[in-house]
Amino acid sequence: MTRKKIIAANWKMNNMTAETAAFFGAIGDSCKGLNDREVIVTPSFPYLAQAAALAKGRGITIAAQDFHPEENGAFTGEVSLAMLTDLGVRTVLIGHSERRHVMGETHEHIRKKVAFAQKKGFRVIFCIGETLAQRQKGELFAVIDHQLSTAFDGNLTCPPDDMVIAYEPVWAIGTGVNATGAQAQEMHDYIRHFMDKQYGRKDIVILYGGSVKPDNVKELMLMPDIDGALVGGASLKAESFSKLIFWDK
Ligand code: 13P
């Protein structure tokens, strides 16, 4: 089976109305009809509807950075999957390092989100990664095992294409220090074997994230188990994101 290639932008808490319009204006129709890779853009909530309208018919998928795993109700400040469906969005990030480490999301909350998204038929980009201290202490693989096991245990029921993993070492996010191709490949290979052994998902799509830039994208993408990239800083402007989308052109 050939695994789908994905180049995804995570805008985090960046890009407002004018920047969103400029981004889609500059990207234009360049992604229309692409069938060897999928392009995803993940704006913050206030700009989802704008981005969804601008992306329509242009071969770009719009995804959400977060959601709350309840149907609806008294959850001030939160966004439901029904609201995302209403906007035509069916892909969500879960487990991003900033949600784990800055917002304090627990393994239990993340597990609940994974279960809820699967129940509602959403596609998940599930983010995992170790801190520098964990890597230096040699806990690298144990941390990844734990993040994968607690999220999916007995609970990975979605169709294969609806679970994408993003390996994002915390020390590489926003630091300008990316994992080398060899470091990322070692972990992607490990994740692939883990997902095959535990869940029979050898062909799961695994993205790399953490300081991906036009000048390092090729080294990463040429690795056999790297199926794409999840990009923060270098995805905010169309000029640099285009170089990542078309890294091999
Ligand atoms: P940077 O590309 O800015 O390092 O961010 C990576 C990331 O966290 C994407 O989710």
Side-chain angles (χ1 to χ4, degrees), residues 23-235:
F23 178 94
F24 284 98
I27 286 268
D29 285 332
S30 61
C31 301
K32 205 172 171 170
L34 276 182
N35 46 29
D36 64 343
R37 68 202 73 192
E38 180 181 359
V39 179
I40 299 180
V41 174
T42 309
S44 53
F45 287 131
Y47 308 102
L48 266 181
Q50 182 197 3
L54 290 171
K56 210 171 176 148
R58 287 191 152 153
I60 299 175
T61 303
I62 299 299
Q65 296 176 18
D66 193 25
F67 66 96
H68 187 65
E70 296 286 348
E71 297 286 347
N72 56 21
F75 302 101
T76 301
E78 297 297 332
V79 170
S80 70
L81 289 183
M83 291 168 180
L84 297 181
T85 301
D86 193 32
L87 295 177
V89 171
R90 72 165 293 268
T91 302
V92 284
L93 299 186
I94 300 181
H96 192 279
S97 148
E98 286 138 24
R99 300 234 42 102
R100 293 177 192 265
H101 299 291
V102 184
M103 312 307 167
E105 284 194 13
T106 61
H107 292 302
E108 177 51 25
H109 190 61
I110 289 168
R111 192 198 61 74
K112 199 170 166 190
K113 283 172 136 178
V114 169
F116 197 75
Q118 290 186 105
K119 183 174 148 203
K120 294 295 175 185
F122 267 65
R123 176 172 59 162
V124 172
I125 300 178
F126 182 63
C127 308
I128 54 175
E130 81 289 356
T131 63
L132 186 58
Q134 289 165 335
R135 179 171 272 260
Q136 286 170 340
K137 278 192 272 174
E139 294 169 356
L140 176 58
F141 298 108
V143 167
I144 297 301
D145 277 21
H146 188 62
Q147 289 175 343
L148 292 173
S149 309
T150 49
F152 301 137
D153 212 13
N155 181 26
L156 189 56
T157 52
C158 63
D161 285 350
D162 281 353
M163 186 59 67
V164 172
I165 291 182
Y167 170 56
E168 300 202 300
V170 180
W171 48 271
I173 296 178
T175 60
V177 182
N178 61 290
T180 63
Q183 284 173 319
Q185 169 58 30
E186 179 187 37
M187 180 51 84
H188 283 227
D189 175 69
Y190 182 83
I191 294 167
R192 190 170 308 292
H193 281 95
F194 184 96
M195 294 304 291
D196 185 24
K197 200 164 124 231
Q198 300 289 325
Y199 305 109
R201 300 223 173 181
K202 179 160 71 64
D203 289 322
I204 195 154
V205 171
I206 311 175
L207 314 181
Y208 167 78
S211 295
V212 177
K213 304 268 186 282
D215 64 4
N216 60 27
V217 65
K218 192 165 181 176
E219 181 203 346
L220 291 157
M221 292 307 125
L222 286 175
M223 294 292 148
D225 287 294
I226 298 184
D227 302 318
L230 179 58
V231 188
S235 76

